[in-house]
Amino acid sequence: MAMILSPKWLQSILGCEFHLENTTDKLSQLGLETELISASTDVLYNIVVGKVIATEQHPDADRLKVCKVDVNQPEHLTIVCGCPTVTEGMVVAVAMDGAKLPGMTIKASKLRGVASQGMLCTALELGMSSKKSSLLSLPADTPIGKPITEVLSLDKQWMEVEITPNRGDCVSALGVAREILIGMQQDFNTPLTQMPCGKPDLLGSVDTSCTSYAYAQIDIKTESNPKLSEHIDYQLHVAGLNRVSPIVDILNYIMLYTGQPMHAFDFSKLKGKVCVRYANSGESIHLLDGQDITLETSDLVIADDNGPIALAGIMGGEHSKVTDETSSILLESACFDPVVIAKTAKRLGITTDASYRYVRGTDPELVEFALSEAVKVISETYETNPVSSGVVFNKQEKEPIRIGIKDVHDYLGLEINIGQLTSYMRLIGCHVMIEESEYITVEVPSHRNDLHFYYDLIEEVARLVGYENLPKSELTCQPLNQEDKELARHFQLIEVLVARGYQELYSLSLQSIAHASMFADENTLIHLDNPLSEEYAVMRPSILSSLLLQIKHCLNHFVRSGKLVEVGDCFEKPSIAYKKLGLAAFGDKDDPEDNTNTFMRIKQDIHAVIHRLKPGMTVKYQTAAELSDLPLGWHPNQTAQIVLNDTVIGYVGCLYPSLQQDIAVDIYAAEIDLNMLDKQSVVFVKPQVQSKFPPSTRDLSFWVNSSDCAGLIKDQISGVSELLTQVDMVDDYYSEQESQRSLTFRLTFQSFTKTLKDKEIDKIIENTIAILAKDGINLRDH
Amino acid sequence: MDLKQADIDHGLRAIQQAVTTTDLETQRLHWMGKQGLITQAFKTIGRLSVEEKPAVAKQLNEFKSQIIDVLAKQKELVKKIELQKAIDDKIDVTLEPRLLTQGHHHPIHQVIKKLNYFFAQRGFESRSDYNLEIEDEWHNFELLNIPAHHPARSMQDTFYCGEKILRTHVSAAQPRILKNSKLPLSAVVFGRVFRCDTPDATHTPVFHQMECLRIDRHCNFGHLKTIIEDFITFLFGEKLPIRYRASYFPFTEPSVEIDVWMPEKKAWLEILGAGMVHPNVIKNAGHDPSVYRGFAFGVGIERLAMLYFDLDDVRELYNSDLSLLGDCYLWQ
């Protein structure tokens, strides 16, 4: 979370000015990533201090007044004003003709017939507040005619500070101010004055998970018509905090200032003593935001005799909340165990400004100071009666830390002497307890709950010295003796396919259930418990599913052909992760020049891939014996299993027709399970020289049955003789006349030892015909 | 048959008129083939008397050598003519071809390859063996010193799936690699990570990271600085100003973020997060943190890809925009 602060406020806390850019850079280097952003008051232009000389009723509008305003110019301005609080003698901010305010420009114009030469401004209009209010009233001695930007000390820029989760102590103006001082190499010496708290008479038992609990009980006069100071109003506006009620706004301001979250109870609604305890099972609480919460025994609560009145560190209860009628309040300023608050906040899914700070850890010793500040502001805002207050501490003693200059050297490679180490530790507020020649033992300040061990302090040394000032050390490396097989495989696969015209893609691994379940049974998908949206609800079951989405994206962008490849993890129960390669080629059905979309072409690509990874291995294609052997998404009659060593390693073919119904292009795809491919062992084949003897070829045509597979017939023919070096199917035609399919194969014969004679070839052909005839495949004689 | 010198002279002229290899071959066969006039004439010698033979044979040999001689000369000539013809054969070479679909490596692939090259050169081994996209909280958080209720858990919004989670950072591979390796160790891991970020110009719920890890007996922040500064020079091809900012990661201490000055954009750009491996991480993996120390750093692959290819929207990397992806070259 980023916190936005006014630099002017930080300067007033520190009691000194600082250079904005330098300080921003320094804070960033120290670990509080800070940026300057433009303040809402930055645009103010041509707005001056003016004094209302006279007011009279607008002739045509009941709610408008016509004012004469002195802006220290020869003539008084006439300005029509809608605010009922405008009175003669009031000193106000006047936006003149051409003035600029946040979100508007002022032009002289007629309002219901009366010419108005500008506008009288409210704090909201000036960008100094986020709450609607009446006219900003300036002190009577403000010099008339001066630009408003000179009179009010307004920020041109604000500081947006990003706080890392370890630095709970910095989620406040005070905390950031402390870091600014550290950046200036100065100790924080502004004394935190606080009122003395008395005995905790109003408190019952306080559980040890509450490290400190301070309270103040104040009676306020409800008719005192409280108005927050412009300073508080402005700080809440800068921080972007919502305005609730004067008391809550004040406590929010104190939290912004000190980092200490506070709560106010309506004291008259409480019964008996207030205690801090874990909830009893079966207890419940109705929270401020309207939620009813059933409490668990791990939830820390603030309770009175009637039960829980607040969820400790997270939110108060509705019953005892402060209202306009409240005349007696009990302020709480406490410190709780971060883990206890985190558990409850997480279980309930509630994050508040208070819980945000408690989860990061607040300073147990800050409770009284924050309480004093709150009481001070409240008594400045309301008419109050004397206060009664009390405090309880359940302090846990912090172990002192021993750190040596050798430790610093081991981690940072930095040589410093013990004196430097000591001063660094003092700079961050450590109390030095024991000094040895090369070691010191320190106690860390109560607000630094992130420092426990010596290496935590080494980090402090590093950031104080500045990482850019740490020495560099030579890095000696042994040469690599092995490669990452998986990464290398990825590179090899893509290399082959890119050379064959494929575009490599990376797809998001998340898909909608509707889409993914077209490729795998919904029950086997990996569902996310907290998906971003329906579109990203499950892990992808296959690369094919990703590629189909990508093809649709192409078609939506008028790209009608392409070859796509992706390698990545796919997920399906029970084995969870599968590494897969997916290819898809798509193109227009009737583009004669584009033949990317043929089945044989994608098979050639598969061969190229397998040859690269498993050289010399024979790839076979077979139809699935059972339909269930095919994964979802594939066409039942136009998909082959890719077989290596009798193992199915993937699929090639067309998409299931329903997936392609709205798509006007042909898609051929293939998917290979890379783990299965990896497992296939390559048999070493001795390289063979070419034959010196001439080959001869013969063509044979057969009538085949509808159930016969060309691939199998080809294999059968190839197996007839060793002299058959190549068998190619050269024709596949269906005779309407015979109602039968005919295949023609070209057989190539070649010997390594002699020129083959016709007789020898004839004999092999006879054999071939005889073998096929046994399966009812007969030679076509015409 | 009687061959006269006149026949031969006539024949020689015919040979000299042959200007193609085919014509010349016809002429050769006419005289010298199996049925050729010379061949046939020689066959008649056997029928002659002993007295006639020498003179006729001498005459025939004379004719034969004349024919062979001219054939050979003409062959040379025909070759020259045909060569010149081939040379003179002209085509219009200016038209562009109809382009075949061109393939390309994806930008993410290109960046990973580039990074892998750099680290392999320096002895950092790429490890994919413990690279799990679906992880458990134990490896993704606990072993990396991020306890269950630590606010740092919400730094990275996690996707849950039952007992498991989608890893939020490649650092999740660290404990597995550390536990299963002998020290010292120098490794890099590339992989996909997942965070609950609604896609926008700078976020996708799925993205890639590289993690670099080194553990050794003598390892300090100075070693980290050396490799990081080399790395950044390698990434940008020149030595650019570097800014270190103190930061916080639960699994490193001290932790820093490193910005590089982009001269063209005139701005600091956050490039990577780094630090000394937290002693708890080393201890959790079963090693002794008082003996071994280490450094680790991580970098977002997409961020580098966007930088290299000057992309404005990270989502472009995950769409099949073939025209855009085809324009991204790093290695070619």
Side-chain angles (χ1 to χ4, degrees):
Chain A
M1 185 180 85
M3 186 173 50
I4 300 175
L5 293 170
S6 147
K8 299 265 182 199
W9 188 22
L10 293 172
Q11 288 174 349
S12 78
I13 291 171
L14 289 170
C16 67
E17 301 236 324
F18 52 74
H19 187 279
L20 216 48
E21 275 79 19
N22 290 354
T23 304
T24 304
D25 286 349
K26 192 70 202 175
L27 279 177
S28 292
Q29 281 172 31
L30 283 174
L32 304 187
E33 199 178 343
T34 306
E35 269 184 60
L36 290 175
I37 57 172
S38 165
S40 63
T41 49
D42 181 36
V43 297
L44 295 183
Y45 169 74
N46 206 16
I47 299 163
V48 299
V49 178
K51 186 171 188 176
V52 180
I53 302 298
T55 68
E56 57 187 57
Q57 189 60 44
H58 189 287
D60 291 326
D62 290 348
R63 297 201 177 164
L64 297 181
K65 281 182 182 157
V66 181
C67 312
K68 292 281 174 209
V69 184
D70 177 7
V71 291
N72 200 19
Q73 282 183 3
E75 292 190 15
H76 291 167
L77 301 181
T78 305
I79 290 174
V80 177
C81 178
C83 182
T85 61
V86 65
T87 50
E88 285 171 21
M90 201 174 179
V91 177
V92 292
V94 182
M96 319 252 281
D97 185 21
K100 287 202 176 101
L101 293 103
M104 59 176 146
T105 307
I106 301 301
K107 288 227 165 76
S109 61
K110 278 189 176 177
L111 277 175
R112 296 266 187 125
V114 177
S116 179
Q117 293 169 286
M119 183 181 82
L120 307 186
C121 308
T122 65
L124 177 71
E125 285 158 345
L126 290 168
M128 294 165 58
S129 168
S130 33
K131 195 176 181 239
K132 229 179 155 175
S133 60
S134 48
L135 288 185
L136 180 74
S137 171
L138 299 167
D141 58 353
T142 317
I144 307 298
K146 269 215 161 186
I148 194 83
T149 44
E150 288 176 26
V151 173
L152 299 172
S153 109
L154 295 172
D155 292 299
K156 285 244 167 223
Q157 285 172 309
W158 293 331
M159 295 169 93
E160 187 175 59
V161 190
E162 198 76 47
I163 315 281
T164 53
N166 57 326
R167 294 304 301 273
D169 63 305
C170 289
V171 197
S172 64
L174 199 61
V176 172
R178 207 155 34 202
E179 287 289 304
I180 290 174
L181 272 189
I182 288 174
M184 298 171 174
Q185 308 265 328
Q186 286 178 28
D187 291 334
F188 189 81
N189 47 17
T190 310
L192 299 180
T193 50
Q194 58 197 48
M195 61 171 192
C197 282
K199 275 207 229 153
D201 296 330
L202 297 178
L203 287 185
S205 66
V206 174
D207 189 274
T208 51
S209 301
C210 174
T211 349
S212 53
Y213 195 104
Y215 72 86
Q217 189 266 310
I218 316 175
D219 292 330
I220 53 173
K221 294 230 167 78
T222 47
E223 64 275 17
S224 51
N225 191 19
K227 189 173 175 301
L228 285 191
S229 74
E230 267 133 29
H231 167 69
I232 293 179
D233 190 32
Y234 179 59
Q235 301 314 335
L236 292 174
H237 167 63
V238 173
L241 287 182
N242 285 336
R243 300 286 299 270
V244 185
S245 68
I247 291 288
V248 174
D249 293 344
I250 289 169
L251 298 187
N252 278 342
Y253 164 75
I254 298 297
M255 177 180 72
L256 268 182
Y257 173 31
T258 65
Q260 173 63 56
M262 295 185 69
H263 186 68
F265 299 99
D266 185 333
F267 188 58
S268 65
K269 302 273 173 67
L270 305 185
K271 188 172 174 235
K273 290 193 171 183
V274 169
C275 58
V276 184
R277 61 166 170 86
Y278 282 97
N280 300 321
S281 70
E283 275 186 325
S284 64
I285 184 166
H286 186 63
L287 292 179
L288 272 174
D289 67 353
Q291 283 192 77
D292 279 306
I293 301 289
T294 306
L295 296 166
E296 293 187 0
T297 53
S298 57
D299 299 332
L300 195 68
V301 296
I302 318 300
D304 67 0
D305 289 357
N306 288 332
I309 53 172
L311 203 49
I314 299 173
M315 200 183 280
E318 175 71 17
H319 174 70
S320 58
K321 81 168 178 187
V322 172
T323 65
D324 289 347
E325 284 75 47
T326 302
S327 61
S328 177
I329 56 173
L330 183 76
L331 294 181
E332 165 197 291
S333 174
C335 180
F336 304 106
D337 181 345
V339 173
V340 174
I341 307 302
K343 277 185 185 164
T344 299
K346 190 179 175 190
R347 179 174 64 82
L348 300 174
I350 304 177
T351 300
T352 59
D353 288 315
S355 74
Y356 179 85
R357 286 169 172 81
Y358 278 125
V359 164
R360 280 154 180 75
T362 57
D363 180 356
E365 290 177 18
L366 195 70
V367 293
E368 289 167 288
F369 171 69
L371 189 71
S372 313
E373 289 294 304
V375 168
K376 197 167 89 190
V377 175
I378 289 172
S379 49
E380 284 163 6
T381 314
Y382 289 86
E383 286 180 46
T384 58
N385 286 330
V387 179
S388 84
S389 64
V391 67
V392 165
F393 284 100
N394 285 319
K395 258 197 212 164
Q396 282 125 9
E397 284 305 319
K398 272 196 185 173
E399 284 281 315
I401 307 172
R402 185 167 180 263
I403 175 176
I405 50 175
K406 183 181 177 297
D407 299 325
V408 173
H409 182 261
D410 283 351
Y411 268 84
L412 305 179
L414 176 74
E415 306 271 3
I416 55 170
N417 60 41
I418 195 73
Q420 288 168 305
L421 180 59
T422 307
S423 65
Y424 286 132
M425 292 299 102
R426 290 215 166 103
L427 191 56
I428 59 165
C430 285
H431 171 59
V432 179
M433 299 169 74
I434 305 169
E435 290 180 73
E436 301 164 62
S437 63
E438 295 195 332
Y439 282 88
I440 53 172
T441 303
V442 301
E443 189 181 51
V444 300
S446 62
H447 60 272
R448 290 302 301 269
N449 53 19
D450 58 324
L451 305 178
H452 304 282
F453 304 99
Y454 73 93
Y455 42 80
D456 299 326
L457 297 179
I458 290 171
E459 180 169 54
E460 293 299 304
V461 171
R463 71 185 189 104
L464 295 176
V465 170
Y467 288 95
E468 67 281 0
N469 299 323
L470 294 180
K472 292 208 306 184
S473 321
E474 199 64 41
L475 195 65
T476 50
C477 298
Q478 304 92 338
L480 275 186
N481 50 14
Q482 55 185 7
E483 69 168 351
D484 181 352
K485 288 201 178 92
E486 199 177 309
L487 197 64
R489 180 186 63 193
H490 184 141
F491 292 160
Q492 288 164 356
L493 285 172
I494 299 302
E495 195 68 57
V496 171
L497 289 162
V498 163
R500 300 181 74 86
Y502 281 80
Q503 170 63 55
E504 185 188 14
L505 297 179
Y506 278 70
S507 305
L508 298 181
S509 323
L510 303 170
Q511 298 180 340
S512 71
I513 295 175
H515 182 77
S517 58
M518 296 192 291
F519 297 89
D521 188 322
E522 196 180 325
N523 296 320
T524 67
L525 295 174
I526 309 291
H527 292 254
L528 300 189
D529 301 338
N530 56 334
L532 272 177
S533 66
E534 264 182 37
E535 200 186 341
Y536 307 116
V538 291
M539 296 296 277
R540 66 173 170 196
S542 66
I543 300 289
L544 188 62
S545 63
S546 289
L547 292 180
L548 181 60
L549 290 174
Q550 299 279 25
I551 289 173
K552 286 182 175 168
H553 183 270
C554 285
L555 295 173
N556 287 338
H557 292 79
F558 315 105
V559 174
R560 299 191 56 85
S561 71
K563 299 202 277 188
L564 313 176
V565 58
E566 181 166 354
V567 174
D569 282 10
C570 303
F571 300 87
E572 213 179 330
K573 289 173 192 162
S575 304
I576 308 295
Y578 299 87
K579 301 214 176 291
K580 287 183 184 175
L581 161 74
L583 318 177
F586 66 103
D588 271 326
K589 286 181 171 134
D590 37 18
D591 181 348
E593 285 197 58
D594 183 11
N595 52 0
T596 51
N597 48 344
T598 66
F599 202 168
M600 279 302 168
R601 280 286 280 269
I602 202 159
K603 280 186 175 177
Q604 289 173 350
D605 299 328
I606 292 169
H607 275 260
V609 163
I610 292 176
H611 183 72
R612 179 69 180 84
L613 293 185
K614 303 283 174 185
M617 287 192 87
T618 315
V619 187
K620 297 277 171 212
Y621 301 92
Q622 65 188 33
T623 48
E626 301 287 336
L627 213 54
S628 59
D629 292 344
L630 279 184
L632 293 182
W634 293 101
H635 193 301
N637 291 312
Q638 296 185 13
T639 301
Q641 295 172 323
I642 305 170
V643 180
L644 214 62
N645 278 352
D646 297 328
T647 309
V648 177
I649 60 155
Y651 305 90
V652 56
C654 296
L655 294 183
Y656 195 81
S658 68
L659 297 184
Q660 231 188 306
Q661 260 173 341
D662 311 327
I663 296 176
V665 293
D666 275 339
I667 303 176
Y668 283 94
E671 193 168 75
I672 290 176
D673 183 323
L674 293 174
N675 296 121
M676 296 293 283
L677 180 61
D678 279 347
K679 282 186 202 144
Q680 307 311 315
S681 46
V682 180
V683 181
F684 177 76
V685 181
K686 188 177 158 55
Q688 212 166 20
V689 294
Q690 287 176 342
S691 169
K692 290 193 281 279
F693 299 93
S696 42
T697 59
R698 303 281 182 90
D699 287 357
L700 293 179
S701 298
F702 297 95
W703 290 117
V704 302
N705 305 312
S706 58
S707 60
D708 288 327
C709 299
L712 290 177
I713 296 172
K714 186 190 146 181
D715 286 350
Q716 259 181 314
I717 298 173
S718 306
V720 171
S721 164
E722 283 186 356
L723 297 174
L724 257 169
T725 51
Q726 200 174 332
V727 178
D728 294 310
M729 196 184 80
V730 290
D731 191 31
D732 181 352
Y733 108 103
Y734 187 81
S735 162
E736 298 289 345
Q737 211 179 342
E738 309 273 344
S739 304
Q740 213 173 358
R741 183 186 180 199
S742 167
L743 301 176
T744 303
F745 291 94
R746 177 160 298 158
L747 285 59
T748 306
F749 301 87
Q750 193 175 23
S751 161
F752 278 95
T753 53
K754 58 184 176 179
T755 303
L756 291 173
K757 295 200 171 100
D758 282 351
K759 268 191 213 159
E760 292 168 286
I761 294 173
D762 289 343
K763 204 174 167 201
I764 298 169
I765 285 180
E766 271 169 39
N767 265 343
T768 308
I769 294 169
I771 286 169
L772 291 184
K774 279 186 205 155
D775 292 336
I777 298 168
N778 295 310
L779 195 66
R780 195 180 94 199
D781 39 17
H782 56 275
Chain B
M1 94 172 268
D2 289 335
L3 279 175
K4 305 275 181 312
Q5 183 61 45
D7 300 327
I8 299 301
D9 290 345
H10 187 255
L12 292 179
R13 277 194 297 279
I15 291 171
Q16 281 162 341
Q17 278 162 13
V19 288
T20 67
T21 306
T22 325
D23 291 350
L24 193 61
E25 180 65 4
T26 312
Q27 287 298 325
R28 190 186 67 81
L29 291 173
H30 177 70
W31 293 102
M32 305 299 297
K34 268 185 187 172
Q35 304 299 320
L37 296 176
I38 299 286
T39 317
Q40 292 301 323
F42 270 106
K43 282 185 183 163
T44 60
I45 290 181
R47 282 183 251 136
L48 298 177
S49 64
V50 180
E51 296 77 28
E52 284 174 310
K53 267 184 189 171
V56 174
K58 193 179 173 219
Q59 179 73 58
L60 278 180
N61 276 328
E62 172 67 19
F63 289 162
K64 188 181 170 184
S65 72
Q66 283 182 27
I67 295 284
I68 287 176
D69 196 33
V70 172
L71 275 174
K73 278 186 186 142
Q74 194 62 21
K75 196 176 175 184
E76 285 303 309
L77 192 65
V78 165
K79 254 180 149 176
K80 272 187 193 157
I81 292 169
E82 289 190 337
L83 181 62
Q84 193 56 49
K85 232 174 130 184
I87 290 169
D88 292 343
D89 194 9
K90 193 174 176 180
I91 57 171
D92 185 342
V93 295
T94 57
L95 208 61
E96 285 172 32
R98 180 181 157 131
L99 287 177
L100 290 175
T101 324
Q102 201 72 43
H104 302 94
H105 292 89
H106 193 275
I108 293 175
H109 175 124
Q110 296 181 44
V111 173
I112 290 177
K113 198 164 179 176
K114 189 174 167 85
L115 301 192
N116 185 51
Y117 170 80
F118 173 87
F119 287 100
Q121 295 270 307
R122 282 153 188 80
F124 286 79
E125 185 193 348
S126 163
R127 297 284 294 262
S128 294
D129 42 355
Y130 297 101
N131 207 351
L132 307 178
E133 292 177 13
I134 297 187
E135 258 293 358
D136 48 42
E137 294 190 81
W138 185 246
H139 286 89
N140 195 75
F141 294 124
E142 257 87 355
L143 291 177
L144 287 172
N145 198 36
I146 316 173
H149 295 285
H150 197 282
R153 280 223 180 169
S154 55
M155 279 167 97
Q156 305 162 355
D157 287 322
T158 312
F159 285 119
Y160 291 85
C161 40
E163 304 275 283
K164 302 271 187 171
I165 60 159
L166 305 188
R167 68 168 169 196
T168 58
H169 45 199
V170 185
S171 310
Q174 253 191 47
R176 293 185 186 274
I177 291 174
L178 271 175
K179 198 162 206 162
N180 295 291
S181 303
K182 278 192 184 146
L183 304 184
L185 165 87
S186 297
V188 286
V189 187
F190 300 94
R192 278 183 187 228
V193 300
F194 303 82
R195 293 193 197 163
C196 296
D197 285 326
T198 308
D200 62 26
T202 52
H203 293 92
T204 44
V206 181
F207 58 100
H208 291 73
Q209 284 184 330
M210 185 207 76
E211 174 93 355
C212 175
L213 174 67
R214 180 177 167 95
I215 307 281
D216 204 347
R217 281 171 190 272
H218 300 288
C219 190
N220 63 41
F221 200 88
H223 297 115
L224 175 63
K225 279 184 86 165
T226 299
I227 188 127
I228 280 181
E229 289 178 17
D230 281 1
F231 178 55
I232 288 174
T233 306
F234 170 79
L235 283 181
F236 295 97
E238 58 180 314
K239 223 173 159 69
L240 293 174
I242 294 172
R243 181 170 77 173
Y244 291 86
R245 281 185 290 107
S247 188
Y248 170 72
F249 308 108
F251 38 97
T252 52
E253 185 166 11
S255 301
V256 289
E257 281 180 311
I258 289 146
D259 302 336
V260 177
W261 179 255
M262 301 280 103
E264 284 169 23
K265 295 179 182 166
K266 292 196 169 37
W268 291 101
L269 183 79
E270 188 183 320
I271 287 290
L272 48 85
M276 299 299 292
V277 177
H278 196 284
N280 288 351
V281 174
I282 295 177
K283 192 174 71 190
N284 292 341
H287 300 289
D288 183 352
S290 67
V291 176
Y292 288 104
R293 272 181 301 278
F295 63 71
F297 62 94
V299 57
I301 305 290
E302 277 80 354
R303 167 164 290 211
L304 293 181
M306 288 175 75
L307 211 61
Y308 276 129
F309 303 112
D310 194 21
L311 304 179
D312 306 318
D313 189 328
V314 65
R315 289 169 293 191
E316 285 162 356
L317 292 171
Y318 286 94
N319 283 333
S320 49
D321 184 332
L322 302 186
S323 147
L324 176 117
L325 295 177
D327 286 343
C328 296
Y329 300 98
L330 200 61
W331 281 84
Q332 282 82 349

